[in-house]
Amino acid sequence: MAEVSLEVDAPIDAVWAVLADGWSYAGWVVGASHIRDVDAGWPERGTRIHHSVGPWPLTIEDTTEVVRTEPDHLLELDARLWPMGAARITFTLTARSERLTEVRMAERVVRGPTTLMPKAVQDALLAPRNRETLQRLNALAKGRAGQ
């Protein structure tokens, strides 16, 4: 499982606000290029973001679905990217102070041909992408917090 973490310079509610705004998904998830729709109620369990992945015009249209949510603390997603497969991604938020939040992102491939790759190779490919994803999330959360 590829796991990375970052201390975000924003309060936990500002970080959660970014995660809870499905329309912001392409602004912080590396690879997501366009949001086509967000189900009403996002990020409730079973709701989805309908997104495109990749550079235009070579985009793939797919969805990401909420598997589990605990507002201000946890968001678990089933992120699809067919024909490559799908991954389970979990964001865990921990307040370190009033203005500092630790965000932990864990990702594992759960379906598709990518599951055939050795776990060490999966982790080596996913970890740099996920570190950049957290840096982007950090920037948006700081902006929401007015810092």
Side-chain angles (χ1 to χ4, degrees), residues 16 20-23 38-48 66 69 75:
W16 182 257
D21 177 4
W23 292 101
V38 178
D39 289 356
W42 175 271
E44 294 172 5
R45 186 172 191 259
T47 58
R48 297 181 298 167
V66 177
T69 185
L75 181 62

Side-chain angles (χ1 to χ4, degrees), residues 27-110:
W28 57 274
V29 174
V30 173
S33 58
H34 176 70
I35 304 303
R36 300 185 323 277
D37 195 17
V38 178
D39 289 356
W42 175 271
E44 294 172 5
R45 186 172 191 259
T47 58
R48 297 181 298 167
I49 293 174
H50 307 264
H51 54 77
S52 301
V53 177
W56 184 89
L58 306 173
T59 59
I60 297 171
E61 294 186 354
D62 225 322
T63 60
T64 292
E65 182 175 339
V66 177
V67 175
R68 186 168 52 129
T69 185
E70 296 174 21
D72 290 333
H73 298 290
L74 182 131
L75 181 62
E76 187 171 344
L77 305 172
D78 184 70
R80 296 178 37 181
L81 179 59
W82 289 104
M84 299 300 292
R88 184 65 47 96
I89 304 168
T90 305
F91 295 92
T92 307
L93 282 56
T94 306
R96 294 295 177 210
S97 71
E98 285 185 23
R99 298 176 55 104
L100 191 66
T101 305
E102 179 187 27
V103 180
R104 183 167 302 282
M105 179 181 181
E107 181 173 4
R108 64 185 164 85
V109 177
V110 292

